[in-house]
């Protein structure tokens, strides 16, 4: 599995309700989902994203924005609206006891005569475990990709079908959101150039790609620079030089970082023993793995697991509704 596919396997649109609305100025939407990622596709009109750090980002027809959570943020028809009288909506599909429906954003049906209105499709993504966190670290607080007219038309048709709650509509929208996230991220990474994560740049290189694919397919193998170079079909020296230049670190440093990131996920999200995790990420014994993990993460595997478990318990308790 390539790195992007592996990272996206930890974040899904399962059960997400896509809110579809036409909004007439002045309006604001407050997003309080605690979701790792929220996607906003503008079919008509537009607005301005207002992020917690003060960033303002205009989005218009054909734009798809992905906002990195979980901090709340606003989308407004224009920045000044938030300080004046307006129609205020809130989106919170994944919070405790939330009952999010397609009518949450005002319950407004499509109005073909509302040429000045803004038409949106909004979807929030759930996280399953910690695998998505490495992806989030590679993304800016907000990214915007311009979609073509055919994609927007298809999104509008799919959202209309989902709003009718016909058979299979939830599955349709879940798969649509997953597809849209992958396509939007790939488009953004392709255009990001040097700002794209190193693992994505490497997969685009004809020499490094075979070696990276082999490692990510079989991380438990005892990879060396020589064996990776053999996968690439070049000399050891050429491979090491090219890898370091394009990826920003030597091959074995990259392998160790990936293995430690995977170990973090396995320690946090599974009950596998330390020895089992060691073997799954390419270490012959638990002792060598534990030493490497502590060197890179600052904690032993057992201490890291205990800390992650305690943090998860605190988060779960805080999410439970209190008695009134």
């Amino acid at each position: 599995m390539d790195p992007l596919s592996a990272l996206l396997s930890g974040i899904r649109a399962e059960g997400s309700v896509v809110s579809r609305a036409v909004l007439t100025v002045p309006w604001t939407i407050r997003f309080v989902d605690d979701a790792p990622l929220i996607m906003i596709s503008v079919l008509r009109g537009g607005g301005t994203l207002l992020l917690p750090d003060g960033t303002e980002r205009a989005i218009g027809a054909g734009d798809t924005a992905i906002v990195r959570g979980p901090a709340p943020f606003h989308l407004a028809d224009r920045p000044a609206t938030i300080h004046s009288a307006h129609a205020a909506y809130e989106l919170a599909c994944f919070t405790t006891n939330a009952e999010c429906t397609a009518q949450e954003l005002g319950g407004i049906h499509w109005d073909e005569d509302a040429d000045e209105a803004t038409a949106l499709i909004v979807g929030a993504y759930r996280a399953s475990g910690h695998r998505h966190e490495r992806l989030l670290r590679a993304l800016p607080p907000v990214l915007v990709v311009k979609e073509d007219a055919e994609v927007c038309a298809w999104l509008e048709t799919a959202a209309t079908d989902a709003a009718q709650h016909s058979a299979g509509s939830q599955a349709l929208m879940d798969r649509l959101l997953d597809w849209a996230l992958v396509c939007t991220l790939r488009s953004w990474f392709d255009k990001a150039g040097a700002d794209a994560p190193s693992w994505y740049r490497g997969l685009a290189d004809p020499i490094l790609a075979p070696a990276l694919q082999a490692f990510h397919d079989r991380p438990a193998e005892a990879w060396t620079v020589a064996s990776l170079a053999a996968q690439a079909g070049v000399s050891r020296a050429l491979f090491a030089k090219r890898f370091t230049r394009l990826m920003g670190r030597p091959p074995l440093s990259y392998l160790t970082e990936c293995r430690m990131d995977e170990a973090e996920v396995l320690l946090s999200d599974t009950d596998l023993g330390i020895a089992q995790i060691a073997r799954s990420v390419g270490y012959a014994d638990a002792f060598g793995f534990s030493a490497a993990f502590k060197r890179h993460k600052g904690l032993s595997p057992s201490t890291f697991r205990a800390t992650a478990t305690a943090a998860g318990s605190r988060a779960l308790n805080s999410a439970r509704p209190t008695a009134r």
Side-chain angles (χ1 to χ4, degrees), residues 142-157:
V142 59
L143 62 90
V144 179
V145 172
K146 176 69 73 174
E147 306 287 3
D148 53 33
E150 290 78 7
V151 171
C152 291
W154 185 47
L155 283 170
E156 183 171 342
T157 300

Side-chain angles (χ1 to χ4, degrees), residues 7 130-131 133-134 137 199 249 254-268 281 289 293 296-297 304:
L7 296 176
H130 295 77
R131 189 172 299 279
E133 291 176 358
R134 189 179 177 207
R137 292 197 294 268
W199 45 263
R249 73 212 77 174
Y254 173 82
L255 265 60
T256 300
E257 289 178 16
C258 291
R259 284 167 166 160
M260 294 302 103
D261 286 341
E262 179 65 15
E264 270 194 358
V265 173
L266 296 175
L267 288 166
S268 301
V281 296
F289 163 70
F293 189 89
H296 284 82
K297 301 298 183 180
F304 178 87

Side-chain angles (χ1 to χ4, degrees), residues 125-141:
Y125 294 83
R126 299 178 188 268
S128 57
H130 295 77
R131 189 172 299 279
H132 70 287
E133 291 176 358
R134 189 179 177 207
L135 172 64
L136 297 186
R137 292 197 294 268
L139 300 179

Side-chain angles (χ1 to χ4, degrees), residues 65-314:
I66 294 178
V67 182
R68 194 181 67 205
F73 65 96
H74 284 85
L75 175 64
D77 64 298
R78 60 190 183 93
T81 294
I82 201 168
H83 303 297
S84 60
H86 62 275
Y89 306 109
E90 188 170 275
L91 183 66
C93 297
F94 294 159
T95 54
T96 304
N97 295 332
E99 295 181 359
C100 187
T101 70
Q103 283 71 43
E104 282 295 304
L105 297 185
I108 306 171
H109 297 289
W110 292 111
D111 181 357
E112 297 303 330
D113 296 326
D115 294 332
E116 302 301 319
T118 290
L120 301 171
I121 295 176
V122 179
Y125 294 83
R126 299 178 188 268
S128 57
H130 295 77
R131 189 172 299 279
H132 70 287
E133 291 176 358
R134 189 179 177 207
L135 172 64
L136 297 186
R137 292 197 294 268
L139 300 179
V142 59
L143 62 90
V144 179
V145 172
K146 176 69 73 174
E147 306 287 3
D148 53 33
E150 290 78 7
V151 171
C152 291
W154 185 47
L155 283 170
E156 183 171 342
T157 300
T160 300
D161 180 81
Q164 295 171 353
H165 300 290
S166 56
S169 60
Q170 182 66 64
L172 170 65
M173 292 311 303
D174 286 345
R175 300 292 77 77
L176 174 63
L177 281 177
D178 289 338
W179 171 85
L181 180 63
V182 173
C183 291
T184 301
L185 289 178
R186 284 181 56 180
S187 296
W188 184 79
F189 283 144
D190 285 342
K191 297 173 183 176
D195 292 331
S198 59
W199 45 263
Y200 194 87
R201 298 197 306 269
L203 287 171
D205 182 78
I207 292 178
L208 300 189
L212 286 170
Q213 189 66 62
F215 164 68
H216 286 285
D217 283 344
R218 306 186 300 278
E221 287 192 19
W223 292 104
T224 64
V225 176
S227 63
L228 289 170
Q231 292 288 328
V234 297
S235 70
R236 181 183 183 279
L238 175 60
F239 178 81
K241 182 178 180 180
R242 188 179 186 90
F243 193 102
T244 302
R245 179 171 61 84
L246 292 180
M247 303 288 284
R249 73 212 77 174
L252 296 186
S253 294
Y254 173 82
L255 265 60
T256 300
E257 289 178 16
C258 291
R259 284 167 166 160
M260 294 302 103
D261 286 341
E262 179 65 15
E264 270 194 358
V265 173
L266 296 175
L267 288 166
S268 301
D269 297 343
T270 75
D271 295 324
L272 293 175
I274 303 300
Q276 290 174 290
I277 293 175
R279 289 191 295 272
S280 70
V281 296
Y283 286 82
D285 58 75
F287 179 80
F289 163 70
S290 296
F293 189 89
K294 186 172 185 179
R295 186 165 58 250
H296 284 82
K297 301 298 183 180
L299 297 172
S300 68
S302 56
T303 302
F304 178 87
R305 170 170 273 172
T307 302
T309 300
S313 297
R314 288 194 298 271

